[in-house]
Amino acid sequence: MYLSREEERIYEGEEGWAYQVAMKILVKLGDLFNADRLIPIESAHISGVSYKTIGDASIDFIEALSSSGAKARVESTLNPAGIDYEHSEEMISLQEIREKQDRIISAYRSMGIKPILTCTPYYIKRPSEEAHLAWAESSTVMYANSVLHSWTNREGGPSALAAALIGKTPNYGVHRPENRRADVIVKVEAELEDDSDYGALGIHVGRILRDEIPFLYGLRHPSESSLKHLGAAMASSGMASIFYYEAPYPKSSDRLEVIEVDADDVRRAYESLSTTNEKPDMVYIGCPHCSAEEIRNIAKKIRGRRVREDVKLWICTSRYVRERAAEHVRMIEAAGGRVLVDTCAVVTWIKELGVDVLMTNSAKTAFYAPTMNGVETIYASLDECIDASCSN
Ligand code: F3S
């Protein structure tokens, strides 16, 4: 990969150890994927924030970078952490966990990376169309490429952090127009209504296509939240980082293969995401983190009802959205639900809170929770989730 004189200086360590490490990560990645050069990015979004998911070795690495004085050169933000600091009564109460989580956040913060602690940073600030980004968190990447028309590969935590420190990313993958073309037409013949229908479709399509880019033909005016659930699910069972749902879409010169998806495929995907018929201990909504609109919708559905004593109802979002939806947050909390920030049910410790059965309208959570959280799952629509969590 070509490096400019300035980039070579960083690579040789002339700006210090941390920038050298960051540059080496980017060069390694660039060489691996045949990038021709580094390109400037508008922003970086970094995953690998929850102590539950990254562990002790990563803390040492992040602290070593920050203690050498390295700073992000572009707008940079953080994915959710393992704790909601404002609702500590809902969280696991182990001093050691809290201290380690604090160290992670403060190391990132001292590098100038904003601890917004959300996987929906685009509700706070939308990236520019066609801007190059280095975003980690696969659901965020899918949304950025497919709905917001920005350009980002699926970064891992370390490569997004390296890109933040250098302000650039290697030019490969979907940063190049020729790699953003649709590979397959997916004709959707199923009727999709709830966001969870879109999530089930995403799981099915991700499983069949792996890293091929689909043009989903036949979606009828999907809402932004439906597209968010679709992309998050597709990125969970597959490896794509972009999908198309409206024409015109960039096609390759070859004739595209056509795949049909019907109601049975969607039903089977639903069934595959539920591991039990037992009653849930927790109902979880907010993967990816809710928009203000989704919180308003939940509040509307919950009005006049009461959350059952034996079920936790968790709704996760960012602090920014929680503030903007304050009135509806109050309605949900008055009914006995909790609107949490900074974390989510997957990256915090729910099994340790006594949760054995988790019900959710998020295909991504249902896909990961059995392995990442060791719980049984029930995958259902938003209405079914609200009905299961309320006593009237
Ligand atoms: Fe976000 Fe947690 Fe889901 S980080 S995408 S809410 S698993």
Side-chain angles (χ1 to χ4, degrees):
M1 185 172 70
Y2 166 80
L3 292 185
S4 68
R5 181 75 202 93
E6 170 68 12
E7 290 159 359
E8 266 177 10
R9 279 186 52 251
I10 300 172
Y11 188 87
E12 294 306 329
E14 289 183 30
E15 293 203 8
W17 173 81
Y19 292 115
Q20 183 182 33
V21 169
M23 184 59 91
K24 287 199 164 174
I25 292 173
L26 298 184
V27 168
K28 191 100 199 144
L29 203 58
D31 285 343
L32 199 64
F33 290 101
N34 293 323
D36 56 344
R37 64 198 162 95
L38 293 172
I39 48 172
I41 51 168
E42 181 179 273
S43 64
H45 181 70
I46 297 153
S47 64
V49 184
S50 166
Y51 174 55
K52 176 169 183 273
T53 56
I54 67 170
D56 291 311
S58 302
I59 302 184
D60 295 341
F61 176 65
I62 299 161
E63 285 187 332
L65 290 176
S66 79
S67 62
S68 73
K71 299 277 180 241
R73 295 185 191 205
V74 289
E75 164 108 5
S76 301
T77 48
L78 289 183
N79 221 35
I83 295 175
D84 174 348
Y85 286 87
E86 287 190 355
H87 294 87
S88 48
E89 75 289 354
E90 290 284 320
M91 301 285 117
I92 183 169
S93 64
L94 268 183
Q95 191 56 25
E96 189 204 341
I97 285 180
R98 178 165 283 262
E99 279 168 14
K100 298 243 165 111
Q101 188 62 71
D102 287 350
R103 280 172 56 194
I104 295 167
I105 294 174
S106 91
Y108 279 126
R109 184 185 273 127
S110 73
M111 287 189 270
I113 299 165
K114 293 184 189 153
I116 59 169
L117 306 178
T118 179
C119 50
T120 51
Y122 41 81
Y123 292 145
I124 302 175
K125 186 174 178 193
R126 281 198 172 212
S128 314
E129 285 199 9
E130 295 186 18
H132 292 279
L133 318 171
W135 283 15
E137 171 44 57
S138 61
S139 71
T140 315
V141 167
M142 276 296 222
Y143 198 84
N145 281 318
S146 315
V147 182
L148 305 176
H149 310 298
S150 307
W151 295 33
T152 175
N153 282 326
R154 269 172 86 148
E155 302 291 345
S159 65
L161 176 56
L165 296 181
I166 301 296
K168 295 177 181 175
T169 194
N171 187 32
Y172 72 95
V174 295
H175 289 292
R176 301 165 83 128
E178 67 272 23
N179 295 333
R180 296 178 70 87
R181 295 178 184 137
D183 298 308
V184 184
I185 293 177
V186 177
K187 276 178 81 176
V188 181
E189 283 161 1
E191 293 277 331
L192 306 174
E193 286 169 14
D194 197 85
D195 287 350
S196 57
D197 298 340
Y198 284 85
L201 171 68
I203 291 289
H204 176 72
V205 172
R207 276 181 182 141
I208 326 177
L209 297 188
R210 306 300 303 162
D211 63 352
E212 289 184 298
I213 299 175
F215 169 60
L216 296 153
Y217 175 81
L219 301 186
R220 294 192 195 110
H221 311 296
S223 67
E224 287 198 349
S225 77
S226 296
L227 293 169
K228 179 176 70 170
H229 281 269
L230 170 66
M234 207 186 300
S236 302
S237 58
M239 286 305 296
S241 46
I242 182 169
F243 63 91
Y244 294 95
Y245 58 97
E246 54 191 7
Y249 59 96
K251 339 176 210 204
S252 63
S253 48
D254 309 331
R255 245 180 95 95
L256 296 189
E257 184 191 355
V258 179
I259 291 175
E260 291 176 3
V261 175
D262 61 22
D264 278 346
D265 297 316
V266 173
R267 182 184 47 76
R268 276 193 293 272
Y270 256 97
E271 287 167 4
S272 74
L273 294 168
S274 291
T275 61
T276 183
N277 293 322
E278 292 189 14
K279 267 176 46 174
D281 314 298
M282 175 182 276
V283 172
Y284 172 54
I285 301 162
C287 170
H289 274 180
C290 284
S291 64
E293 183 60 38
E294 286 172 281
I295 291 182
R296 260 195 297 279
N297 191 27
I298 296 163
K300 227 168 67 193
K301 290 180 187 294
I302 229 167
R303 174 183 268 140
R305 306 179 76 178
R306 185 81 218 147
V307 174
R308 301 164 62 100
E309 293 291 327
D310 57 348
V311 178
K312 287 175 181 294
L313 171 61
W314 275 19
I315 293 146
C316 285
T317 186
S318 62
R319 285 170 188 247
Y320 177 90
V321 166
R322 193 178 194 277
E323 251 179 65
R324 262 141 203 87
E327 189 191 330
H328 297 98
V329 167
R330 272 195 296 278
M331 285 167 60
I332 293 167
E333 298 207 319
R338 306 313 305 266
V339 180
L340 306 179
V341 293
D342 300 344
T343 191
C344 77
V346 176
V347 302
T348 193
W349 291 259
I350 53 167
K351 184 85 179 166
E352 293 73 2
L353 296 176
V355 175
D356 291 318
V357 179
L358 178 71
M359 184 174 195
T360 182
N361 72 333
S362 162
K364 176 169 180 171
T365 291
F367 186 84
Y368 284 117
T371 43
M372 289 200 46
N373 304 87
V375 294
E376 302 285 344
T377 50
I378 303 166
Y379 182 54
S381 68
L382 179 61
D383 282 345
E384 289 169 310
C385 285
I386 299 290
D387 286 347
S389 62
C390 290
S391 54
N392 56 343

